[in-house]
Amino acid sequence: MQQRENWGSRLGFLLAAAGSAVGLGNIWRFPYLTGENGGSAFIVIYLVCVFVIGLSIMIAEFTVGRRSGLAAVGAYKSYSRNWTFVGVIGVLSGFLIMGFYPVVGGWALAYIVKSITGLTSAPDAIGDVFGGFITNSFEPLLWMIAFLAVNVAIVAKGIAGGIEKASKVLMPVLFFLLIFIGIRSVSLPGADAGLSFLFSPDWSVVTGATVLAALGQAFFSLSLGMGCMITYGSYLNKKQNLAKDAVIVTSLDTLCAILAGIAIFPALFAFGMEPAQGPGLVFVVVPSIFAAMGGGVGVFFSTLFFVALAVAALTSSVSLLEVVVAYLIDEKKMARKKAVYLASAVMAVLCVMASLSLGVTSHITVLGVGAFDFFDILTDKIFLAIGGMFLAIFAGWVYKKEDLKAELTNEGTIKMALFEVWYALIKYVIPVAIAVIAFMGVKSIAQTGLMIFGLAVIVVLAIFSKKL
Ligand code: PHE
């Protein structure tokens, strides 16, 4: 048998896992969700979801992945065939997220060029430029294809040579840029309103939908609930401390989200803009910050920011692509290159649908939403959270406790102080918490039809995926 690929080093793995976690979720999505959900209270709920639910699930994903040495589907299937469907939901989520993620990644690429060729004018005009750009039927598609092509090139090179190498260089760059922009934003006159929006909670705006949005965002941002961290864990060597690594990745991801918030909201309030402006938020606010700096300096930093955003998106999207590719390699015995081409071709088709749904085909909706929102809401609000719930049930009730303990303590050679606490969370608290949040959320959310559709898909997969 061929030996399984492995990460080249501990740092390499950490940066790749953090690279998967830190992405559009932190810099594009987290700020606009915070803006739409009333600011600080959303952030507090998000943090609870991240550190109570997300962190425990990440530990469980690393554990299950490394123990089995197999990617999402195989990790479940090799332990119990009845649970194959959870892995299948993961692979399906990988396809669906990659049905819109490269579209936004393409926007970031386009904005690198647009920053240089002159985007930095009055804030109103910057908003119009964004609206005009994403509703265009042709230009965003070219950028999306360019973004996807880079993914293909990296993932085709495999684990240590491709994904790990790219992450090692690009992640640190991103981190320092965020700090820099944050400092710039906070020092603008009138920035205080933004800081109090971020840090003094107003609980009256919280509903079931807010909590579901925070939970979904926690899963999305930490790359959980779809087998991505199972897959990355499967390439890990037996010496690494899984619980500690999960703490590092979770903390880094959260830090980057908060930094993105600090980079955006003070500036937004300083310019008197509207926080609840949806997916265009970073593409409008950040160029405005730099426009206010004016001249060559503004152009320089705006360009650099979008380079970093594209990079953050890239280190995440390669992990999404890898989930699907690893499935095809492990389960369908496909060669790596062939798997990469096949998966990305399907993703490209989905992305074309998503991109056009913001413009020419915006009148075509299924269950009340266009393709972009369909892929986004279905994964983020249902598949990831429910996938995480099943993972917790699988680890807590199907997996043998001794197996989990052996894996987490590297066969007894290291200690995991809070093992029992983690185990109780995974076994009892988390499945119940997710079920309750999902139920409350479904009740108070606008897209009930879509939610029910998503749950039906899961039931169908649970029934039929044993044959896969
Ligand atoms: N965590 C990534 C981000 O925040 C997105 C992602 C989700 C990546 C699920 C892999 C798996 O952008």
Side-chain angles (χ1 to χ4, degrees):
M1 204 182 116
Q2 215 190 346
Q3 228 216 315
R4 191 167 178 79
E5 287 185 84
N6 251 307
W7 299 104
S9 65
R10 167 153 201 253
L11 182 69
F13 163 73
L14 278 176
L15 287 177
S20 165
V22 178
L24 294 172
N26 309 60
I27 302 168
W28 164 68
R29 210 161 194 282
F30 175 77
Y32 91 71
L33 284 178
T34 304
E36 281 179 345
N37 287 288
S40 182
F42 174 81
I43 298 184
V44 175
I45 300 170
Y46 173 75
L47 291 177
V48 174
C49 290
V50 164
F51 285 102
V52 178
I53 299 180
L55 175 59
S56 310
I57 298 268
M58 190 179 292
I59 294 174
E61 289 208 10
F62 284 164
T63 309
V64 168
R66 190 175 70 172
R67 187 93 189 154
S68 69
L70 291 167
V73 173
Y76 287 100
K77 194 168 156 183
S78 62
Y79 214 85
S80 157
R81 275 193 106 74
N82 289 338
W83 287 79
T84 310
F85 77 98
V86 187
V88 176
I89 300 172
V91 173
L92 182 63
S93 304
F95 270 114
L96 293 174
I97 298 178
M98 281 302 272
F100 70 90
Y101 207 93
V103 174
V104 183
W107 297 349
L109 282 185
Y111 265 63
I112 297 173
V113 176
K114 284 182 196 298
S115 298
I116 300 172
T117 56
L119 188 65
T120 44
S121 51
D124 288 353
I126 291 174
D128 294 343
V129 169
F130 180 73
F133 168 64
I134 63 160
T135 51
N136 187 309
S137 339
F138 192 61
E139 212 196 323
L141 295 185
L142 290 182
W143 291 110
M144 176 275 286
I145 295 291
F147 182 82
L148 209 47
V150 184
N151 278 276
V152 169
I154 295 178
V155 179
K157 279 206 171 9
I159 296 301
I163 297 180
E164 182 174 340
K165 257 207 187 112
S167 308
K168 262 186 173 163
V169 182
L170 298 175
M171 291 312 294
V173 172
L174 171 74
F175 192 70
F176 287 108
L177 260 173
L178 275 180
I179 294 183
F180 173 82
I181 300 172
I183 294 174
R184 177 70 220 163
S185 175
V186 171
S187 56
L188 286 166
D192 312 8
L195 289 174
S196 70
F197 180 78
L198 283 175
F199 300 114
S200 36
D202 168 9
W203 296 102
S204 67
V205 293
V206 174
T207 65
T210 321
V211 184
L212 180 60
L215 180 72
Q217 173 62 14
F219 276 98
F220 187 89
S221 190
L222 295 170
S223 307
L224 297 175
M226 55 162 289
C228 182
M229 292 303 183
I230 294 181
T231 306
Y232 271 30
S234 76
Y235 301 121
L236 263 177
N237 71 43
K238 292 281 182 193
K239 288 201 211 82
Q240 225 144 303
N241 184 336
L242 297 178
K244 207 163 144 193
D245 287 355
V247 171
I248 296 176
V249 173
T250 304
S251 310
L252 269 177
D253 185 71
T254 308
L255 189 64
C256 287
I258 301 290
L259 277 177
I262 296 179
I264 288 180
F265 287 101
L268 178 136
F269 281 91
F271 293 132
M273 292 176 177
E274 173 49 37
Q277 44 181 291
L281 189 63
V282 259
F283 291 92
V284 179
V285 176
V286 171
S288 305
I289 303 180
F290 295 120
M293 288 168 76
V297 196
V299 170
F300 176 74
F301 283 116
S302 175
T303 311
L304 210 54
F305 173 78
F306 286 108
V307 170
L309 183 63
V311 164
L314 192 63
T315 53
S316 299
S317 56
V318 291
S319 73
L320 286 156
L321 180 55
E322 178 65 23
V323 169
V324 177
V325 167
Y327 161 74
L328 294 172
I329 295 176
D330 284 353
E331 303 301 313
K332 303 287 166 212
K333 307 293 168 232
M334 229 178 245
R336 176 169 276 276
K337 284 215 165 71
K338 189 173 164 204
V340 171
Y341 297 141
L342 186 75
S344 55
V346 176
M347 291 161 182
V349 174
L350 298 178
C351 283
V352 170
M353 291 163 60
S355 184
L356 294 180
S357 76
L358 302 174
V360 278
T361 63
S362 62
H363 56 286
I364 303 174
T365 60
V366 176
L367 300 168
V369 293
F372 190 108
D373 291 340
F374 190 90
F375 303 151
D376 181 3
I377 298 172
L378 199 57
T379 47
D380 166 71
K381 296 240 162 59
I382 311 189
F383 287 175
L384 298 189
I386 302 290
M389 181 180 87
F390 281 125
L391 169 81
I393 298 173
F394 175 71
W397 298 87
V398 180
Y399 234 83
K400 287 201 204 72
K401 191 175 176 184
E402 307 89 76
D403 285 352
L404 295 172
K405 187 151 196 181
E407 197 61 35
L408 276 165
T409 57
N410 297 352
E411 309 298 328
T413 55
I414 56 169
K415 283 209 168 61
M416 177 174 166
L418 297 175
F419 178 81
E420 293 299 332
V421 176
W422 169 78
Y423 190 70
L425 280 171
I426 282 287
K427 186 165 183 152
Y428 304 105
V429 180
I430 292 176
V432 176
I434 296 180
V436 171
I437 296 173
F439 180 74
M440 280 171 12
V442 168
K443 267 181 46 189
S444 73
I445 208 167
Q447 298 86 5
T448 325
L450 188 53
M451 297 283 132
I452 294 169
F453 170 78
L455 294 175
V457 169
I458 293 174
V459 173
V460 170
L461 284 178
I463 298 172
F464 293 106
S465 67
K466 263 178 257 177
K467 299 196 184 63
L468 288 171

